[in-house]
Amino acid sequence: MNGVGADILQPLGADIIRIEIPIQHELKNFNLYLFLGEHPALVDAGPYHPLLEGVVMESLRRAGMKELEFIYITHSHIDHFGLAARLRSLTGAAVAAHHYEKPRIQRAGARLEEEYRCYSSLSERMGFPREVAEAIYSLAQVWTSLSEPCPVDIPLRGGETVRAGDRELEALHTPGHTAGHLCFLERQEGLLFSGDHLMRSITPNPELYCPPWRGEMTGLPQFLASLELLRGYDIKAAFPGHGKAIRKTARRIEMNLLHHRKRLEKTLEAVDSGCVTVWETALRLFPQVRDKRPQVDHFLAMKEALGHLLILEKEGMVCCDRSGEVWRFFTR
Ligand SMILES: [Zn+2]
Ligand SMILES: [Zn+2]
């Protein structure tokens, strides 16, 4: 591929290049970060697609490199690891990710299909309309086509210091969006490569654990704790997996925490005013999905509503009757 435009390759200083792939979605783009130097490395790999493969390889060529030593994966969503297997074999890179993310990265489509079957089995409990659920879960095959299974050569746990170019990155375990989400912090300049944990204009969706993870169905409490964790670091700028860089990171962290506090209040109001099921609550919180044809936004709305309802239940603000086929929420 010869036509990689200057707008796709953006230098962030002398030794880091952002590879920005635009997409027609509210996420706006995928960002990959290429570190030049003694230990050439990439943070995130993007989805599997031959065009993207060409862009990344051309970016390496332009930077005078043929090989990568490491590919660091922030988390196990296809838009972050889908192309990793291909890049691993083309560049000889070792792939590193949190060990909790191995099932999805190493099994890709097979794992995704299991998860979508599990989501299907939850639909009735959530009051999620069958036709909406079926339409969305049939997308599993599309997602599958955007990823290839990839070995995780270096399983991380968080807390490690790893090499990228001539820099050192600290792996920070920031669960919630997924169980093993990692941010990578370059402490010298206070640069955070934040994956989907911290973005500039949107808040990420919490994980729906299916089957439950350590007794929890939602990653929302972990996500909020991971935001609070970031308060403890000196971060000058954050570079997310989607969208532009964040310069006022402390402000963005506080805004995200406030956003979820407000959403908890709205969720409580929804239950108080008669929304009984998870799906009814989702429609109250996200009325824009009501008249749209079934798409992934419906599923995301359901996950958000469930996450906030389960936090309110834990806080004793709502109770849930699980005796019937549909979970029914009430205020106390
Ligand atoms: Zn993600
Ligand atoms: Zn993403």
Side-chain angles (χ1 to χ4, degrees):
M1 176 163 181
N2 297 316
V4 177
D7 51 336
I8 285 182
L9 303 184
Q10 299 168 354
L12 309 174
D15 61 334
I16 307 174
I17 295 171
R18 175 170 52 204
I19 305 174
E20 184 181 333
I21 313 294
I23 50 168
Q24 288 193 331
H25 184 272
E26 92 178 284
L27 288 173
K28 295 194 175 80
N29 61 19
F30 306 119
N31 293 319
L32 286 57
Y33 298 94
L34 180 60
F35 289 73
L36 314 179
E38 202 181 336
H39 306 281
L42 194 63
V43 169
D44 278 337
Y48 170 72
H49 194 284
L51 282 178
L52 183 55
E53 176 188 319
V55 169
V56 175
M57 295 310 291
E58 171 68 7
S59 306
L60 289 179
R61 194 190 64 73
R62 284 198 188 183
M65 300 189 307
K66 283 192 186 138
E67 296 180 346
L68 279 174
E69 195 168 332
F70 303 109
I71 298 172
Y72 299 110
I73 304 293
T74 58
H75 66 292
S76 59
H77 286 157
I78 51 160
D79 51 326
H80 298 259
F81 85 86
L83 191 60
R86 188 59 64 100
L87 295 178
R88 178 179 180 270
S89 66
L90 288 170
T91 68
V95 171
H98 196 284
H99 70 107
Y100 290 165
E101 306 291 88
K102 280 166 68 174
R104 280 182 180 156
I105 296 174
Q106 298 196 151
R107 298 185 54 232
R111 169 74 181 193
L112 207 61
E113 278 170 26
E114 282 169 16
E115 289 185 9
Y116 273 67
R117 270 201 296 280
C118 189
Y119 299 149
S120 256
S121 71
L122 288 180
S123 296
E124 198 156 12
R125 268 174 267 172
M126 303 295 126
F128 202 36
R130 183 181 293 270
E131 64 279 10
V132 177
E134 281 173 1
I136 294 166
Y137 301 148
S138 67
L139 291 173
Q141 279 150 4
V142 178
W143 305 135
T144 296
S145 72
L146 295 171
S147 64
E148 287 186 329
C150 179
V152 174
D153 305 295
I154 306 172
L156 298 170
R157 310 185 80 83
E160 297 90 346
T161 298
V162 297
R163 301 247 174 199
D166 295 326
R167 297 179 185 246
E168 290 188 336
L169 304 179
E170 185 177 338
L172 305 181
H173 185 205
T174 46
H177 179 61
T178 64
H181 190 289
L182 291 172
C183 292
F184 292 95
L185 177 63
E186 201 281 350
R187 277 188 186 261
Q188 292 250 319
E189 290 185 39
L191 312 177
L192 184 76
F193 296 86
S194 57
D196 281 359
H197 180 57
L198 190 67
M199 291 179 277
R200 182 153 137 171
S201 52
I202 50 173
T203 57
N205 215 247
E207 184 71 280
L208 170 55
Y209 292 123
C210 201
W213 168 256
R214 299 181 173 181
E216 301 287 346
M217 285 182 74
T218 175
L220 187 56
Q222 292 177 311
F223 172 73
L224 298 175
S226 296
L227 278 177
E228 288 179 5
L229 175 98
L230 289 187
R231 281 172 164 167
Y233 292 93
D234 185 16
I235 302 167
K236 300 277 190 294
F239 298 94
H242 310 277
K244 299 289 179 199
I246 307 159
R247 301 290 164 184
K248 294 176 178 166
T249 48
R251 186 160 166 263
R252 184 67 202 159
I253 290 165
E254 296 313 313
M255 278 173 62
N256 282 7
L257 286 166
L258 180 66
H259 163 85
H260 284 286
R261 274 199 296 278
K262 283 190 174 159
R263 187 160 282 168
L264 277 173
E265 283 168 20
K266 282 191 181 158
T267 306
L268 185 59
E269 280 168 23
V271 179
D272 209 28
S273 66
C275 294
V276 170
T277 69
V278 175
W279 181 238
E280 284 169 5
T281 310
L283 287 177
R284 181 68 62 87
L285 294 174
F286 305 96
Q288 64 272 29
V289 303
R290 187 184 291 272
D291 299 321
K292 280 190 188 168
R293 65 180 172 78
Q295 55 174 290
V296 73
D297 287 356
H298 294 62
F299 181 57
L300 300 182
M302 192 262 281
K303 286 206 291 180
E304 280 283 328
L306 177 68
H308 289 84
L309 284 166
L310 293 180
I311 287 184
L312 288 173
E313 186 189 20
K314 228 172 216 173
E315 289 179 350
M317 306 295 284
V318 303
C319 51
C320 179
D321 176 2
R322 294 181 169 84
S323 61
E325 284 173 350
V326 181
W327 288 4
R328 299 169 68 80
F329 289 84
F330 306 94
T331 46
R332 287 181 182 268

